Amino acid sequence: MNNNTKGILGLLAVAAGALGLYKYNKLSPEEKAALKDKAKRAGDTLKETYNDVEEQVSEKLTSLKNALDKELSKADQTTNRRATHTDDIEDATIVDAKEALDKGETTFV
């Protein structure tokens, strides 16, 4: 946006605000009260909607965190099992090598 466009938009906003103020001042007290009630109901509805959305997002986030923790736990268990299995294989290989050396063998498979 260039400066001319920004200036025109600013001028339109000021004009709309002035027109709204003029119309509001011409309203009767009953109409002003009705307008205030309408604005209050709209605000309450917006607040309730915000709270509902916030609660839903919080529930989804908790659900995702629980699912992530479960998957990480599974992955950790798998890693631990593989590490234990690898350690067992290494231990068995060392025992086999020691037995072979005790028998006087110099090569082992």
Side-chain angles (χ1 to χ4, degrees), residues 29-59:
E30 295 84 19
E31 290 172 324
K32 285 181 182 179
L35 183 62
K36 286 179 183 178
D37 288 340
K38 185 176 178 181
K40 185 174 189 230
R41 282 193 309 273
D44 290 343
T45 302
L46 182 63
K47 185 176 180 180
E48 288 173 14
T49 303
Y50 172 81
N51 288 336
D52 290 344
V53 169
E54 184 180 32
E55 183 178 322
Q56 290 174 358
V57 168
S58 178
E59 289 173 2

Side-chain angles (χ1 to χ4, degrees), residues 7 11 22 28 32 35 41 52 65 67 79 86 88 92 98 106:
L11 184 60
Y22 171 75
S28 68
K32 285 181 182 179
L35 183 62
R41 282 193 309 273
D52 290 344
K65 282 182 180 179
T79 303
T86 303
D88 291 344
K98 285 181 181 179
T106 56

Side-chain angles (χ1 to χ4, degrees), residues 1 9 12 14 18 25 30 34 39 43 49 51 60-61 67 78 85 89 99:
M1 253 192 244
L9 289 176
L12 287 174
V14 169
N25 285 333
E30 295 84 19
T49 303
N51 288 336
K60 291 284 186 185
L61 181 61
T78 302
H85 182 66
I89 291 171
E99 288 175 359

Side-chain angles (χ1 to χ4, degrees), residues 54-79:
E54 184 180 32
E55 183 178 322
Q56 290 174 358
V57 168
S58 178
E59 289 173 2
K60 291 284 186 185
L61 181 61
T62 301
S63 173
L64 287 172
K65 282 182 180 179
N66 290 339
L68 179 62
D69 288 343
K70 183 178 177 182
E71 291 300 318
L72 288 174
S73 176
K74 283 182 185 177
D76 191 37
Q77 289 173 357
T78 302
T79 303

